[in-house]
């Protein structure tokens, strides 16, 4: 094993511009994000291995020269093309855009995508490039949580309605009990009165009615 304390050999440091191709190829080969480079017509000129795998393609070279219309449904492909035309026209990037990708075979994925203008050494825009991260698992978890919340809200609403119904029935029962008690009391009082007393009650009621 090399001695880390030893003085490293005085090898010349390679220039970054000389490593451009090597750096790009290493990035495309090893990145866990989808990376792509496109020309002015939105044709792929370079893609990462991960993007090819995500699309179910073994060799990234199979996608070179193709566009999103060859891979995704028309709606997503058109949206992507519109974004790239705007970037080419303005030079302004689009960052962190949530996209719903639907492949031609119906498979759906959610991704966060950032796109920028691809420029030549002279600064001329010669295409676009971008990177996207698959967040399908995260979105599916969000959808599941939202569905659970909806079901919980509906269950709570139904439980609340049931509680209200129980309270209403309870109140009705109390009222009926009160009516029954009052009726029973009146009957008992009437039964306790003798005929002469009942006559006096009738006269009193008639007198009150005339005064009203």
């Amino acid at each position: 094993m090399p001695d880390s304390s030893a003085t490293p050999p005085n090898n010349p440091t390679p220039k970054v511009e000389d490593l451009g191709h090597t750096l790009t190829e290493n990035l495309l080969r090893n990145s866990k994000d989808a990376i792509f480079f496109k020309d002015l017509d939105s044709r792929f000129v370079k893609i990462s291995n991960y993007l090819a795998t995500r699309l179910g393609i073994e060799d990234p070279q199979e996608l070179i020269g193709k566009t999103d219309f060859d891979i995704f449904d028309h709606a997503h492909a058109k949206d992507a093309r519109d974004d790239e035309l705007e970037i080419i026209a303005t030079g302004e990037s689009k960052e962190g855009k949530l996209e719903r990708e639907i492949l031609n075979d119906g498979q759906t994925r959610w991704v966060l995508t950032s796109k920028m203008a691809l420029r030549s050494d002279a600064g001329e825009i010669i295409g676009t490039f971008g990177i996207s991260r698959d967040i399908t698992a995260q979105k599916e978890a969000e959808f599941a949580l939202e569905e659970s919340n909806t079901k919980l809200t509906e269950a709570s609403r139904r439980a609340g309605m049931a509680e209200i119904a129980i309270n209403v029935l309870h109140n009705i029962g109390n009222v009926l009990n009160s009516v029954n008690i009052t009726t029973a009391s009146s009957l008992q009082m009437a039964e306790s009165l003798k005929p002469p007393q009942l006559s006096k009650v009738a006269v009193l009621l008639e007198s009150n009615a005339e005064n009203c």
Side-chain angles (χ1 to χ4, degrees):
M1 182 175 180
D3 184 0
S4 59
S5 64
T7 302
N10 190 20
N11 295 324
T13 302
K15 296 180 180 180
V16 174
E17 53 267 27
D18 295 335
L19 289 174
H21 177 74
T22 301
L23 292 173
T24 301
E25 290 301 320
N26 273 277
L27 179 64
L28 294 176
R29 189 180 305 116
N30 298 299
S31 175
K32 297 304 180 183
D33 289 320
I35 302 174
F36 53 87
F37 295 84
K38 298 180 179 180
D39 62 16
L40 294 174
D41 293 320
S42 293
R43 292 184 297 241
F44 291 103
V45 294
K46 279 282 187 182
I47 69 166
S48 63
N49 288 16
Y50 175 78
L51 176 55
T53 300
R54 195 171 84 186
L55 297 176
I57 299 172
E58 294 185 6
D59 185 2
Q61 292 298 315
E62 292 181 30
L63 274 182
I64 305 307
K66 294 185 178 181
T67 71
D68 287 328
F69 288 98
D70 298 311
I71 306 166
F72 302 104
D73 74 326
H74 183 83
H76 173 69
K78 183 179 183 304
D79 187 51
R81 175 58 174 162
D82 289 343
D83 283 346
E84 288 152 13
L85 286 174
E86 184 177 343
I87 293 171
I88 291 169
T90 65
E92 297 181 358
S93 62
K94 291 184 176 292
E95 299 180 7
K97 180 178 179 178
L98 177 63
E99 295 181 308
R100 181 172 180 248
E101 295 181 343
I102 303 178
L103 297 176
N104 285 330
D105 63 3
Q107 183 182 0
T108 300
R109 289 186 179 276
W110 290 91
V111 298
L112 278 179
T113 303
S114 295
K115 295 181 181 181
M116 291 139 278
L118 179 62
R119 298 178 182 272
S120 65
D121 292 339
E124 177 186 4
I125 295 178
I126 57 175
T128 60
F129 72 101
I131 182 170
S132 70
R133 175 159 295 182
D134 190 336
I135 60 167
T136 303
Q138 177 183 332
K139 292 298 293 183
E140 288 178 346
E142 290 177 3
F143 292 146
L145 179 60
E146 183 178 347
E147 183 179 358
S148 296
N149 287 337
T150 300
K151 290 181 179 179
L152 180 60
T153 301
E154 179 63 18
S156 298
R157 185 184 70 82
R158 291 180 178 178
M161 292 177 65
E163 183 177 355
I164 292 173
I166 291 173
N167 289 335
V168 169
L169 292 174
H170 179 71
N171 291 335
I172 292 174
N174 290 338
V175 171
L176 292 176
N177 287 335
S178 177
V179 170
N180 290 334
I181 291 172
T182 303
T183 303
S185 298
S186 299
L187 289 173
Q188 290 175 358
M189 182 182 296
E191 290 175 355
S192 66
L193 294 174
K194 296 179 180 180
Q197 293 174 317
L198 288 174
S199 299
K200 292 180 180 179
V201 171
V203 171
L204 181 60
L205 290 174
E206 290 177 357
S207 175
N208 289 335
E210 291 175 356
N211 293 331
C212 290

